[in-house]
Amino acid sequence: VLRTVEAGQILDTRTGKEVTIAKIARRAANADVVIVGEYHDSMACHLFQRDLIREIGKMNPETVVGFEFFQQEKHDAALAAWSRKEGSEADLLRATGWYAGSSMHYGYTRPVMQAIREAGLTAIGLNAPRALVHRVAGGGLDALGPGERRRFAHVERKNPQHRHFIQQVFGAAALRLPPWFERIYAAQTCWDAVMAVSMRAFLASRPGKGKKGVIIAGAAHVAHGLGIPFRYRLGKRRARLLTIVPVRVKTGDEGAEEHPMLK
C-alpha cells in the first residue's frame, strides 16, 4: 500500500492510519512490556522515544525503562541515582563506562535519559557483559560455560524466521562466510535472550511487581517480533507485548541513504 506522509505526521503501518504519540501511549497502557527498536544514530528516533516515554510516564509513573546500552545489575546503582536526580550527567557516564563500552555518542540517548530523570521513572540495564557476548561471537555458544549459559534462557531454541532476517541484515557476508555468520548469529541470539530475561526477571521481582516495562534496543532486536519479543514469550507465553520500530521517511531531495540495518 502506498501512502503519502506529510512532514510531522506519524503513520501506523499496521493500520495505515495517522496516529499521535498520545494514542500510541494509550495503546501501550494495555501491554505488560513495550519494546521499542531504535536506529542508534538517528536523533529523530530518539526524540520519538523521549516523547513516548513522557506520555507513558504520565499515565503510569511506575514504568521501568530497560536499555540495551547498559548492563544488568552492574549499572543499576548508577541508573537508580540518575532517576532520583542525584549526580550529574558526567557522573552517570563515568559510573557506567559509557564510552568504554559504546562507540555511539551519548547525545543520541540524552533526550531519553532526561525524560526518565524528569519523570522519576526507574531505569535498569538489560545487557550481559560485552566480553561474554564477544566470546560467543568468536567461538559460538560452546565458548560459554554451563553457569554462563544460564544467563541466556532458551538461547538454543531455534527460530528459522529470525535466522533468515538476520541473514538479510548482514547480506552477502553471511553467505560468503558461513562459519563467521554462525558465530555472529549466536551472539545476536544471546543479546536477544539476555535482554528478554533481564526485563522479565525485574518485573517478577519485588521492586518490579505490578510495574510496566519499556525496552529500548536496536531495531534488529525488535523488528517483526522475532528477536526480544520472541525470546520474552518463551519465558512468559501470555505476556502482552507491544513492539514499535519507528522509521523516519526521507524525501527524495534528501538523497539516498544506506539501509539503516546495515549501518
Side-chain angles (χ1 to χ4, degrees):
V1 179
L2 296 178
R3 287 292 305 270
T4 299
V5 183
E6 301 296 332
Q9 275 189 321
I10 302 176
L11 186 70
D12 183 343
T13 56
R14 185 177 62 90
T15 63
K17 296 179 180 179
E18 183 179 359
V19 292
T20 62
I21 295 287
K23 285 183 179 179
I24 298 172
R26 285 197 291 273
R27 188 187 304 168
N30 296 320
D32 300 317
V33 180
V34 181
I35 308 175
V36 186
E38 70 173 31
Y39 302 108
H40 298 317
D41 58 354
S42 168
M43 181 56 75
C45 182
H46 287 85
L47 294 178
F48 170 87
Q49 291 173 354
R50 176 201 63 187
D51 295 344
L52 179 61
I53 287 171
R54 279 177 176 168
E55 290 296 325
I56 290 175
K58 288 177 189 175
M59 297 174 63
N60 192 334
E62 295 295 298
T63 298
V64 179
V65 185
F67 290 88
E68 173 187 358
F69 274 121
F70 297 113
Q71 285 185 32
Q72 56 178 190
E73 299 178 357
K74 180 179 180 180
H75 296 152
D76 286 350
L79 292 171
W82 176 261
S83 296
R84 293 192 302 265
K85 301 180 174 62
E86 297 174 2
S88 65
E89 185 177 89
D91 293 329
L92 175 69
L93 297 182
R94 190 180 307 110
T96 58
W98 178 276
Y99 285 111
S102 170
S103 60
M104 295 307 303
H105 196 288
Y106 176 74
Y108 290 109
T109 302
R110 177 181 289 123
V112 183
M113 297 303 295
Q114 288 175 334
I116 288 171
R117 190 174 173 107
E118 290 164 6
L121 303 180
T122 300
I124 62 172
L126 298 180
N127 222 329
R130 283 182 172 268
L132 205 56
V133 181
H134 287 167
R135 199 193 314 158
V136 176
L141 292 176
D142 290 339
L144 296 175
E148 293 171 330
R149 191 172 294 207
R150 280 196 290 271
R151 282 178 174 264
F152 310 104
H154 310 290
V155 71
E156 294 178 352
R157 175 71 177 271
K158 298 187 183 305
N159 184 340
Q161 290 177 307
H162 180 250
R163 180 187 174 81
H164 175 73
F165 170 62
I166 299 300
Q167 277 183 322
Q168 300 309 302
V169 170
F170 283 97
L175 298 176
R176 288 199 304 266
L177 304 166
W180 169 83
F181 176 73
E182 290 300 326
R183 296 191 297 271
I184 291 297
Y185 180 67
Q188 178 80 14
T189 305
C190 282
W191 263 318
D192 294 338
V194 76
M195 287 190 274
V197 167
S198 297
M199 179 58 79
R200 202 167 58 234
F202 184 86
L203 295 181
S205 70
R206 182 175 294 179
K209 214 68 168 171
K211 294 184 177 180
K212 300 278 189 178
V214 175
I215 293 176
I216 303 292
H221 295 290
V222 182
H224 312 299
L226 297 175
I228 296 172
F230 173 78
R231 299 287 158 185
Y232 197 99
R233 286 197 174 97
L234 289 177
K236 191 172 183 180
R237 187 167 57 86
R238 296 186 179 180
R240 297 172 300 171
L241 306 180
L242 174 65
T243 60
I244 303 169
V245 180
V247 178
R248 183 178 178 223
V249 177
K250 294 273 191 175
T251 59
D253 58 4
E254 289 182 274
E257 184 179 32
E258 185 182 12
H259 191 289
M261 290 292 193
L262 301 180
K263 283 187 179 179

